[in-house]
Amino acid sequence: MKAKLVDEERDFTEHFDELRKRILIAMYFFVAALFIGFFLSKPLINQMQNAPWTENIQMHAFQVTDPLKIYLVVIIIIAFIIILPVILYQLWAFIAPGLYEKERKVTLLYIPIAMVLMLIGMAFSYFIVVPYIIQFTFELSLEMGIETTIGINEYFGFLFRTVLPFGVIFQLPVVVLFLTQLGIITPMFLKQNRKYAYFIMFVLVALIAPPDFMTHLLLTVPMIILYEISIYVSKVGYRRYLKAEQQLLEDELK
């Protein structure tokens, strides 16, 4: 009994050391990416300030530290996006010893797919969702006789709250496939909870979008499509999971 406890403690220590190693590697890359973000942040901020939909918008800083705050936040966001493949790879490397050889190869492919989906989601939000929301709200202000004064901090805060979540939302198929192949979720679970998922989507859209039907439709439809794609992807992953479990059972019986 004592020997078993010692072995379990050793296994825990080894896993903890491995996790710490992976986190430290990601942190080293993050620090290096901050220097890259330092050079890219000003051109990116300038582009966002002078986007086509900001032509008639005059931005103001209501606090002395607003420009500095935006500058630092953009640097951090750039650094995080740059090292996201590193973070995903370190996560993969941490769990890879517990996967079969085929599963390791398949899950390793998730990294570039996740990056592409994130960039597509952010681009969709920035070039389609953001202009539409700004146009709608400014037209509403004109109809109500309200002169809109935009704070630079509020404008960039709106961009971050709108663009970044879509980068995360577009990861849904990859996350679902990953969790399915680990046996954590099933396509049956996704189907049974479809109505709850749709409700969460409607709530999320209501929080980030103005209250008009077209905007809600513009945001909700891609989410629903992604969820349905995730169900299909989960079916593929679940078949692989069942085959792997069957193979494991056959190996144990030999």
Side-chain angles (χ1 to χ4, degrees):
M1 183 68 178
K2 186 177 180 181
K4 182 179 180 181
L5 291 175
V6 171
D7 290 338
E8 290 179 353
E9 184 177 350
R10 185 184 300 113
D11 290 340
F12 174 80
T13 302
E14 290 176 354
H15 280 84
F16 181 79
D17 290 341
E18 179 68 15
L19 179 61
R20 184 179 62 178
K21 172 188 173 183
R22 299 298 172 187
I23 293 175
L24 285 174
I25 292 174
M27 290 300 298
Y28 295 149
F29 275 92
F30 180 73
V31 172
L34 287 174
F35 287 98
I36 300 175
F38 177 80
F39 294 102
L40 296 180
S41 59
K42 285 185 178 179
L44 183 59
I45 291 173
N46 183 64
Q47 196 282 329
M48 289 188 288
Q49 280 184 277
N50 297 282
W53 54 85
T54 63
E55 184 178 356
N56 298 319
I57 300 178
Q58 186 176 3
M59 300 181 193
H60 303 271
F62 297 121
Q63 295 185 24
V64 175
T65 57
D66 280 353
L68 177 62
K69 177 182 176 181
I70 293 166
Y71 184 55
L72 294 177
V73 170
V74 172
I75 289 175
I76 292 173
I77 292 174
I78 291 174
F80 177 77
I81 293 174
I82 290 174
I83 71 158
L84 183 58
V86 177
I87 295 175
L88 294 176
Y89 178 80
Q90 296 307 317
L91 176 62
W92 175 85
F94 179 71
I95 66 172
L99 302 176
Y100 294 104
E101 183 63 29
K102 290 183 178 179
E103 291 177 332
R104 292 177 188 175
K105 294 179 180 179
V106 172
T107 52
L108 187 59
L109 294 175
Y110 293 171
I111 296 177
I113 295 174
M115 280 298 300
V116 171
L117 288 175
M118 184 192 71
L119 294 175
I120 291 175
M122 293 175 65
F124 170 80
S125 179
Y126 183 75
F127 291 107
I128 297 178
V129 177
V130 168
Y132 188 87
I133 293 177
I134 289 179
Q135 180 183 0
F136 174 84
T137 53
F138 270 77
E139 288 178 355
L140 184 62
S141 296
L142 289 175
E143 292 175 4
M144 299 174 64
I146 299 173
E147 183 178 353
T148 305
T149 300
I150 303 296
I152 190 74
N153 191 43
E154 286 70 23
Y155 171 72
F156 276 91
F158 162 74
L159 286 182
F160 299 149
R161 291 191 303 271
T162 307
V163 174
L164 295 180
F166 271 87
V168 176
I169 291 170
F170 272 61
Q171 303 295 309
L172 185 60
V174 174
V175 173
V176 166
L177 180 59
F178 182 72
L179 295 178
T180 301
Q181 291 200 263
L182 292 180
I184 298 175
I185 62 174
T186 65
M188 293 76 76
F189 172 83
L190 296 176
K191 288 181 178 179
Q192 292 170 358
N193 293 277
R194 181 187 272 125
K195 58 183 179 181
Y196 302 111
Y198 286 0
F199 175 75
I200 293 173
M201 293 176 192
F202 286 126
V203 172
L204 180 61
V205 169
L207 292 174
I208 66 175
D212 86 291
F213 175 75
M214 285 303 299
T215 303
H216 278 255
L217 192 65
L218 180 67
L219 299 181
T220 306
V221 169
M223 293 184 185
I224 293 175
I225 293 174
L226 280 171
Y227 190 83
E228 294 301 323
I229 291 174
S230 298
I231 293 177
Y232 174 78
V233 166
S234 181
K235 292 179 181 178
V236 176
Y238 194 59
R239 293 192 194 101
R240 293 176 179 171
Y241 170 74
L242 292 177
K243 287 181 181 179
E245 289 297 306
Q246 183 179 359
Q247 183 64 45
L248 177 62
L249 182 59
E250 292 175 356
D251 292 342
E252 289 179 350
L253 292 174
K254 288 181 181 179

